[in-house]
Amino acid sequence: MRAVVQTVGRASVTVDGEVVGAVTDGLLVLLGVTHTDTPETARTMARKLHELRILDEERSAAETGAPVLVVSQFTLYGDARKGRRPSWTAAAPAEVAEPLVTEVVEALRSRGATVATGRFRAHMLVESVNVGPRTILLDL
């Protein structure tokens, strides 16, 4: 599982002209799933995301109550080392990835996090205003 985590002043996901998820003063998480990921991987990722000390004064969402916007992003497993056209073979198929993304979201919520999401398999417009800027890659 792989996540790009950004601190944001605001972030939102729009699908077909409708905002389906939004946060202010929190984290934007672009989340990719690979073939070997499991529900345990998802729970570990949720813990790491919630406890990641990326906010002001090296604090975490767990400490501050900052909301989290989770957006599925299979392209995090794109591989363009052999040319200009990325290969997506390392990305888990949607049938595998969707329940694991849901597991991350539910694990975050069970930890007390306020979580908004994008919409799986939809063409999403993701907007964000990065704060810092602070961006971290988590790779499990």
Side-chain angles (χ1 to χ4, degrees), residues 15-132:
V15 176
D16 296 329
E18 173 193 359
V19 174
V20 297
V23 298
T24 57
D25 299 322
L27 300 177
L28 170 61
V29 176
L30 305 176
L31 184 64
V33 178
T34 193
H35 303 279
T36 56
D37 290 333
T38 65
E40 181 60 32
T41 309
R43 289 187 292 274
T44 298
M45 179 59 82
R47 180 183 53 77
K48 285 182 150 296
L49 291 168
H50 200 224
E51 295 176 2
L52 183 65
R53 295 179 173 278
I54 191 175
L55 297 167
D56 290 342
E57 299 174 11
E58 295 184 1
R59 296 177 70 199
S60 67
E63 293 173 288
T64 65
V68 182
L69 174 57
V70 176
V71 180
S72 173
Q73 187 79 35
F74 78 92
T75 60
L76 290 178
Y77 279 101
D79 183 354
R81 289 178 290 180
K82 293 185 179 180
R84 296 173 296 175
R85 182 177 299 147
S87 166
W88 311 112
T89 58
E95 307 75 44
V96 173
E98 186 171 12
L100 292 173
V101 170
T102 300
E103 180 75 25
V104 170
V105 169
E106 292 305 317
L108 281 165
R109 287 180 177 147
S110 73
R111 296 176 62 82
T114 300
V115 184
T117 65
R119 186 172 294 157
F120 207 88
R121 294 188 184 191
H123 183 265
M124 297 179 277
L125 300 177
V126 180
E127 296 182 88
S128 67
V129 175
N130 193 276
V131 173

